[in-house]
Amino acid sequence: MSWHQKTLTLPPKPRGFHLITQELVAQLPELRQYAIGIAHIFIQHTSASLALNENVEPEVRADLEAHFNKLVPENAPYYTHTYEGPDDMPSHIKAVLLGSSLAIPITNGRLNLGTWQGIYLCEHRNRGGARRVVVTLHGEAAPTTG
């Protein structure tokens, strides 16, 4: 069994749900070394989250953003943590609801996602900045040929 851990930096993205599967995989050539295992993906922020969902229709991401904005509105009169702007406290609540990590199986050097599944960066701030994601790979090495 082998372990590999890498911190990736994602460039700033506007508020919303962003498909980042290929962006992550492109920065993880080590993934190809695993025959079987788990990729644990963790975001090091409290105002953004990770999710797994539809990877084709962009309307899904737009609908999720609209729903979460209704579910967790800005400027709620009961918020006391308000000094970082009206989008800050809602971003923390959304991050708690969606979560900060994903565990995805690795099979034959690839993330074993379903046909219609993709990894989302859920950016809850209007201007969240670059986001750090720690990826930990654990599993059995792929057999070497040669």
Side-chain angles (χ1 to χ4, degrees), residues 19-74:
L19 190 58
I20 60 166
T21 310
Q22 294 310 315
E23 196 172 344
L24 293 178
V25 169
Q27 295 185 60
L28 290 169
E30 303 84 0
L31 186 62
R32 293 189 293 271
Q33 298 171 10
Y34 289 86
I36 187 170
I38 294 287
H40 182 265
I41 306 165
F42 174 77
I43 191 163
Q44 294 183 307
H45 300 275
T46 60
S47 58
S49 55
L50 297 171
L52 193 63
N53 214 300
E54 164 75 49
N55 69 357
V56 176
E57 301 295 335
E59 297 88 356
V60 172
R61 295 189 300 279
D63 288 348
L64 284 167
E65 176 66 13
H67 180 78
F68 273 90
N69 288 337
K70 281 192 175 281
L71 182 66
V72 186
E74 292 185 5

Side-chain angles (χ1 to χ4, degrees), residues 17 42-51 68 71-72 87-101 121-125 131:
F17 288 71
F42 174 77
I43 191 163
Q44 294 183 307
H45 300 275
T46 60
S47 58
S49 55
L50 297 171
F68 273 90
L71 182 66
V72 186
D87 65 335
D88 188 49
M89 190 59 221
S91 72
H92 295 306
I93 295 169
K94 292 172 187 176
V96 166
L97 291 172
L98 289 167
S100 58
S101 68
L121 167 66
C122 312
E123 177 56 69
H124 306 304
R125 296 298 308 265
R131 297 300 191 174

Side-chain angles (χ1 to χ4, degrees), residues 7-23:
T7 300
L8 311 177
T9 301
L10 302 175
K13 300 190 185 318
R15 183 169 162 170
F17 288 71
H18 304 277
L19 190 58
I20 60 166
T21 310
Q22 294 310 315
E23 196 172 344

Side-chain angles (χ1 to χ4, degrees), residues 60-138:
V60 172
R61 295 189 300 279
D63 288 348
L64 284 167
E65 176 66 13
H67 180 78
F68 273 90
N69 288 337
K70 281 192 175 281
L71 182 66
V72 186
E74 292 185 5
N75 299 310
Y78 46 86
Y79 293 158
T80 58
H81 177 75
T82 59
Y83 56 88
E84 292 183 53
D87 65 335
D88 188 49
M89 190 59 221
S91 72
H92 295 306
I93 295 169
K94 292 172 187 176
V96 166
L97 291 172
L98 289 167
S100 58
S101 68
L102 299 170
I104 300 172
I106 301 168
T107 305
N108 298 324
R110 300 172 52 120
L111 296 176
N112 196 345
L113 296 167
T115 302
W116 309 113
Q117 289 181 317
I119 301 167
Y120 288 4
L121 167 66
C122 312
E123 177 56 69
H124 306 304
R125 296 298 308 265
N126 292 330
R127 288 172 289 287
R131 297 300 191 174
R132 288 180 319 279
V133 176
V134 178
V135 180
T136 304
L137 306 175
H138 180 240

